[in-house]
Coordinates of all heavy atoms in Angstrom, one line a residue:
H1108 N -99.4 -50.7 -51.2 CA -98.0 -50.5 -51.0 C -97.8 -49.0 -50.6 O -98.4 -48.1 -51.1 CB -97.4 -50.7 -52.4 CG -95.9 -50.7 -52.3 ND1 -95.1 -51.8 -51.9 CD2 -94.9 -49.7 -52.6 CE1 -93.8 -51.4 -52.0 NE2 -93.7 -50.2 -52.3
R1109 N -97.0 -48.8 -49.6 CA -96.7 -47.5 -49.0 C -95.3 -47.0 -49.2 O -95.0 -45.9 -48.9 CB -97.0 -47.5 -47.4 CG -98.4 -47.9 -47.1 CD -99.3 -46.7 -47.5 NE -100.7 -47.1 -47.2 CZ -101.6 -47.6 -48.1 NH1 -101.2 -47.9 -49.3 NH2 -102.9 -47.8 -47.7
G1110 N -94.5 -47.8 -49.8 CA -93.1 -47.5 -50.0 C -92.9 -46.7 -51.4 O -93.9 -46.2 -52.0
E1111 N -91.6 -46.5 -51.7 CA -91.3 -45.8 -53.0 C -91.6 -46.6 -54.1 O -91.7 -47.9 -54.0 CB -89.8 -45.4 -52.9 CG -89.6 -44.4 -51.8 CD -88.1 -44.0 -51.7 OE1 -87.3 -44.7 -52.3 OE2 -87.8 -43.0 -50.9
L1112 N -91.7 -46.0 -55.3 CA -92.0 -46.8 -56.6 C -91.0 -47.9 -56.8 O -91.4 -48.9 -57.3 CB -92.2 -45.8 -57.7 CG -93.4 -44.9 -57.6 CD1 -93.4 -44.0 -58.9 CD2 -94.7 -45.7 -57.4
K1113 N -89.8 -47.6 -56.6 CA -88.7 -48.5 -57.0 C -88.8 -49.9 -56.1 O -88.7 -50.9 -56.6 CB -87.3 -48.0 -56.9 CG -86.2 -49.0 -57.2 CD -84.9 -48.4 -57.6 CE -83.9 -49.5 -58.1 NZ -82.7 -49.0 -58.6
S1114 N -89.1 -49.6 -54.8 CA -89.2 -50.8 -54.0 C -90.4 -51.5 -54.3 O -90.5 -52.8 -54.1 CB -89.2 -50.3 -52.5 OG -90.3 -49.5 -52.1
L1115 N -91.5 -50.8 -54.8 CA -92.7 -51.6 -55.2 C -92.4 -52.5 -56.3 O -92.8 -53.7 -56.3 CB -93.8 -50.5 -55.6 CG -95.1 -51.0 -56.1 CD1 -96.1 -49.9 -55.9 CD2 -95.1 -51.4 -57.6
L1116 N -91.7 -52.0 -57.4 CA -91.4 -52.9 -58.5 C -90.5 -54.0 -58.1 O -90.6 -55.1 -58.8 CB -90.7 -52.0 -59.6 CG -91.7 -51.0 -60.3 CD1 -90.8 -50.1 -61.3 CD2 -92.8 -51.7 -61.0
R1117 N -89.7 -53.9 -57.2 CA -88.6 -54.9 -56.8 C -89.2 -55.9 -55.8 O -88.6 -56.9 -55.4 CB -87.4 -54.3 -56.2 CG -86.6 -53.4 -57.1 CD -85.4 -52.8 -56.6 NE -84.4 -53.9 -56.2 CZ -83.4 -53.7 -55.4 NH1 -83.0 -52.5 -54.9 NH2 -82.5 -54.7 -55.2
N1118 N -90.4 -55.6 -55.3 CA -91.1 -56.5 -54.3 C -91.6 -57.7 -55.0 O -92.6 -57.6 -55.7 CB -92.1 -55.7 -53.6 CG -92.7 -56.4 -52.4 OD1 -92.7 -57.7 -52.3 ND2 -93.3 -55.7 -51.4
Q1119 N -91.0 -58.9 -54.8 CA -91.4 -60.1 -55.5 C -92.7 -60.6 -55.1 O -93.3 -61.3 -55.7 CB -90.3 -61.1 -55.3 CG -89.0 -60.8 -55.8 CD -88.9 -60.4 -57.2 OE1 -89.2 -61.2 -58.1 NE2 -88.6 -59.1 -57.5
A1120 N -93.2 -60.1 -53.9 CA -94.6 -60.5 -53.5 C -95.7 -59.7 -54.3 O -96.8 -60.1 -54.2 CB -94.7 -60.3 -52.0
V1121 N -95.3 -58.6 -54.8 CA -96.2 -57.8 -55.6 C -96.2 -58.3 -57.1 O -97.3 -58.7 -57.5 CB -95.9 -56.3 -55.6 CG1 -96.7 -55.5 -56.5 CG2 -95.8 -55.7 -54.2
V1122 N -95.1 -58.2 -57.7 CA -95.0 -58.8 -59.0 C -93.5 -59.5 -59.1 O -92.6 -59.0 -58.5 CB -95.1 -57.9 -60.2 CG1 -96.5 -57.5 -60.4 CG2 -94.2 -56.7 -60.1
A1123 N -93.4 -60.6 -59.8 CA -92.1 -61.3 -59.7 C -91.3 -61.1 -61.0 O -91.9 -61.0 -62.1 CB -92.4 -62.9 -59.6
G1124 N -90.0 -61.0 -60.8 CA -89.1 -60.9 -61.9 C -88.3 -59.7 -62.1 O -87.3 -59.7 -62.8
I1125 N -88.7 -58.6 -61.4 CA -88.1 -57.3 -61.6 C -87.1 -57.1 -60.5 O -87.4 -57.4 -59.3 CB -89.1 -56.2 -61.7 CG1 -90.2 -56.4 -62.8 CG2 -88.4 -54.8 -61.9 CD1 -91.3 -55.5 -62.7
G1126 N -85.9 -56.5 -60.9 CA -84.9 -56.2 -59.8 C -84.5 -54.8 -60.0 O -85.2 -54.0 -60.5
N1127 N -83.2 -54.6 -59.6 CA -82.6 -53.3 -59.5 C -82.5 -52.6 -60.9 O -82.8 -51.4 -61.1 CB -81.3 -53.3 -58.9 CG -80.9 -51.9 -58.5 OD1 -81.4 -51.1 -57.9 ND2 -79.5 -51.6 -58.9
A1128 N -82.0 -53.3 -61.9 CA -81.7 -52.7 -63.2 C -83.1 -52.3 -63.9 O -83.2 -51.2 -64.4 CB -80.9 -53.6 -64.0
Y1129 N -83.9 -53.3 -64.0 CA -85.1 -53.1 -64.9 C -86.1 -52.2 -64.2 O -87.0 -51.6 -64.9 CB -85.7 -54.4 -65.3 CG -84.9 -55.0 -66.4 CD1 -84.0 -56.0 -66.1 CD2 -85.0 -54.6 -67.7 CE1 -83.1 -56.5 -67.1 CE2 -84.1 -55.1 -68.7 CZ -83.2 -56.1 -68.4 OH -82.3 -56.6 -69.4
S1130 N -86.1 -52.1 -62.9 CA -87.0 -51.1 -62.2 C -86.5 -49.7 -62.6 O -87.4 -48.8 -62.9 CB -87.0 -51.3 -60.7 OG -85.6 -51.2 -60.2
D1131 N -85.3 -49.5 -62.7 CA -84.8 -48.2 -63.2 C -85.2 -47.9 -64.6 O -85.7 -46.9 -64.9 CB -83.2 -48.2 -63.3 CG -82.6 -48.0 -61.9 OD1 -83.4 -47.7 -60.9 OD2 -81.4 -48.1 -61.7
E1132 N -85.2 -48.9 -65.5 CA -85.6 -48.7 -66.8 C -87.1 -48.4 -67.0 O -87.6 -47.6 -67.7 CB -85.2 -49.9 -67.7 CG -83.7 -50.1 -67.9 CD -83.2 -49.0 -68.8 OE1 -83.6 -48.9 -70.0 OE2 -82.4 -48.3 -68.3
I1133 N -87.9 -49.2 -66.2 CA -89.3 -49.1 -66.2 C -89.7 -47.7 -65.8 O -90.6 -47.0 -66.4 CB -90.0 -50.1 -65.3 CG1 -89.8 -51.5 -66.0 CG2 -91.4 -49.8 -65.1 CD1 -90.1 -52.7 -65.1
L1134 N -89.2 -47.2 -64.7 CA -89.6 -45.8 -64.2 C -89.0 -44.8 -65.1 O -89.8 -43.8 -65.2 CB -89.0 -45.7 -62.8 CG -89.6 -46.6 -61.7 CD1 -88.8 -46.6 -60.4 CD2 -91.1 -46.2 -61.4
W1135 N -87.9 -44.9 -65.7 CA -87.5 -43.9 -66.7 C -88.5 -43.8 -67.9 O -88.9 -42.7 -68.3 CB -86.1 -44.3 -67.2 CG -85.6 -43.3 -68.3 CD1 -84.9 -42.1 -68.0 CD2 -85.7 -43.4 -69.7 NE1 -84.7 -41.5 -69.2 CE2 -85.0 -42.2 -70.2 CE3 -86.1 -44.4 -70.5 CZ2 -85.0 -42.1 -71.6 CZ3 -86.1 -44.2 -71.9 CH2 -85.5 -43.1 -72.4
H1136 N -88.9 -45.1 -68.4 CA -89.8 -45.2 -69.4 C -91.1 -44.4 -69.1 O -91.8 -43.9 -69.9 CB -90.0 -46.6 -69.8 CG -90.8 -46.7 -71.1 ND1 -92.2 -46.9 -71.2 CD2 -90.3 -47.0 -72.5 CE1 -92.5 -47.1 -72.3 NE2 -91.5 -47.1 -73.2
A1137 N -91.6 -44.7 -67.9 CA -92.9 -44.1 -67.4 C -92.7 -42.7 -67.0 O -93.8 -42.0 -66.6 CB -93.4 -44.9 -66.2
R1138 N -91.5 -42.1 -67.0 CA -91.3 -40.7 -66.6 C -91.6 -40.5 -65.0 O -92.1 -39.4 -64.7 CB -92.0 -39.7 -67.5 CG -91.6 -39.8 -68.9 CD -92.4 -38.8 -69.8 NE -92.0 -38.8 -71.2 CZ -91.2 -37.9 -71.7 NH1 -90.8 -36.8 -71.0 NH2 -90.9 -38.0 -73.0
L1139 N -91.4 -41.5 -64.3 CA -91.7 -41.4 -62.8 C -90.4 -41.4 -62.0 O -89.5 -42.2 -62.3 CB -92.6 -42.5 -62.4 CG -94.0 -42.5 -63.1 CD1 -94.7 -43.9 -62.7 CD2 -94.8 -41.3 -62.7
N1140 N -90.4 -40.6 -61.0 CA -89.2 -40.5 -60.1 C -89.2 -41.8 -59.2 O -90.2 -42.1 -58.6 CB -89.3 -39.2 -59.3 CG -88.0 -39.1 -58.4 OD1 -87.6 -39.8 -57.6 ND2 -87.2 -38.0 -58.7
P1141 N -88.1 -42.5 -59.0 CA -88.1 -43.8 -58.3 C -88.4 -43.5 -56.8 O -88.8 -44.4 -56.1 CB -86.7 -44.3 -58.4 CG -85.9 -43.1 -58.9 CD -86.8 -42.2 -59.7
Q1142 N -88.3 -42.3 -56.3 CA -88.5 -41.9 -54.9 C -89.9 -41.6 -54.6 O -90.2 -41.4 -53.4 CB -87.5 -40.8 -54.5 CG -86.1 -41.2 -54.5 CD -85.1 -40.2 -54.2 OE1 -85.2 -39.0 -54.9 NE2 -84.4 -40.3 -53.2
R1143 N -90.7 -41.5 -55.7 CA -92.1 -41.1 -55.4 C -92.9 -42.2 -54.7 O -92.5 -43.3 -54.8 CB -92.8 -40.7 -56.7 CG -92.5 -39.3 -57.1 CD -93.3 -39.0 -58.4 NE -94.8 -38.9 -58.2 CZ -95.6 -38.5 -59.0 NH1 -95.3 -38.3 -60.3 NH2 -97.0 -38.5 -58.8
R1144 N -93.9 -42.0 -54.0 CA -94.8 -43.0 -53.4 C -96.0 -43.1 -54.2 O -96.5 -42.2 -54.9 CB -95.1 -42.6 -52.0 CG -93.9 -42.6 -51.1 CD -94.1 -42.2 -49.7 NE -92.9 -42.3 -48.9 CZ -92.4 -43.3 -48.2 NH1 -93.1 -44.5 -48.4 NH2 -91.4 -43.3 -47.6
L1145 N -96.6 -44.3 -54.2 CA -97.8 -44.6 -55.0 C -98.9 -43.7 -54.7 O -99.6 -43.3 -55.7 CB -98.2 -46.1 -54.6 CG -99.4 -46.6 -55.4 CD1 -99.0 -46.8 -56.9 CD2 -99.9 -48.0 -54.8
S1146 N -99.0 -43.2 -53.5 CA -100.2 -42.4 -53.1 C -100.1 -41.0 -53.9 O -101.1 -40.4 -54.0 CB -100.2 -42.1 -51.6 OG -99.0 -41.5 -51.3
T1147 N -99.0 -40.7 -54.5 CA -98.9 -39.4 -55.2 C -99.2 -39.5 -56.7 O -99.2 -38.5 -57.4 CB -97.4 -38.8 -55.0 OG1 -96.5 -39.6 -55.8 CG2 -97.0 -38.8 -53.6
L1148 N -99.5 -40.8 -57.1 CA -99.7 -41.0 -58.6 C -101.1 -40.7 -59.0 O -102.1 -41.1 -58.3 CB -99.3 -42.4 -58.9 CG -97.8 -42.9 -58.7 CD1 -97.6 -44.3 -59.4 CD2 -96.8 -41.8 -59.1
S1149 N -101.2 -40.1 -60.1 CA -102.5 -39.9 -60.7 C -102.9 -41.3 -61.4 O -102.1 -42.1 -61.6 CB -102.5 -38.7 -61.8 OG -101.7 -39.1 -62.8
L1150 N -104.2 -41.3 -61.9 CA -104.6 -42.4 -62.6 C -103.8 -42.7 -63.9 O -103.5 -43.7 -64.2 CB -106.1 -42.3 -63.0 CG -106.7 -43.5 -63.7 CD1 -106.6 -44.8 -62.9 CD2 -108.2 -43.2 -64.1
E1151 N -103.5 -41.6 -64.5 CA -102.7 -41.6 -65.7 C -101.3 -42.1 -65.4 O -100.6 -42.9 -66.2 CB -102.5 -40.2 -66.3 CG -101.7 -40.2 -67.6 CD -101.7 -38.8 -68.2 OE1 -102.2 -37.8 -67.6 OE2 -101.0 -38.5 -69.3
D1152 N -100.7 -41.7 -64.3 CA -99.3 -42.2 -63.9 C -99.4 -43.7 -63.6 O -98.4 -44.4 -64.0 CB -98.9 -41.5 -62.5 CG -98.6 -40.1 -62.8 OD1 -98.2 -39.6 -63.9 OD2 -98.7 -39.3 -61.8
R1153 N -100.5 -44.2 -63.0 CA -100.6 -45.6 -62.7 C -100.6 -46.4 -63.9 O -100.1 -47.5 -64.1 CB -101.7 -45.9 -61.7 CG -101.6 -45.3 -60.4 CD -102.8 -45.6 -59.5 NE -102.6 -44.9 -58.2 CZ -102.9 -45.5 -57.0 NH1 -103.3 -46.7 -57.0 NH2 -102.7 -44.9 -55.9
H1154 N -101.3 -45.9 -64.9 CA -101.4 -46.6 -66.2 C -100.1 -46.6 -66.9 O -99.6 -47.6 -67.4 CB -102.5 -45.9 -67.1 CG -103.8 -46.5 -66.9 ND1 -104.3 -47.7 -67.4 CD2 -104.9 -45.9 -66.2 CE1 -105.6 -47.9 -67.0 NE2 -106.0 -46.8 -66.3

């Protein structure tokens, strides 16, 4: 995945069931900015 984290979570071909609202909640809980890209994440961030 090369896009932003929020679009990753909302991509139903990646994982199914997450949309606009819960992607916000997940990223807040993970302390990750929704505009970040996957390539910038550390192993700890991915977990």
Side-chain angles (χ1 to χ4, degrees):
H1108 190 83
R1109 296 293 177 264
E1111 297 177 347
L1112 293 181
K1113 180 157 182 175
S1114 66
L1115 181 155
L1116 290 175
R1117 296 182 64 189
N1118 188 335
Q1119 301 303 294
V1121 177
V1122 289
I1125 304 170
N1127 190 52
Y1129 285 95
S1130 57
D1131 283 352
E1132 290 293 296
I1133 290 165
L1134 291 168
W1135 180 83
H1136 189 274
R1138 296 176 179 261
L1139 295 172
N1140 189 299
Q1142 296 175 301
R1143 282 185 66 178
R1144 294 181 179 272
L1145 182 68
S1146 59
T1147 70
L1148 300 191
S1149 66
L1150 181 60
E1151 182 180 2
D1152 290 335
R1153 293 181 184 225
H1154 275 282

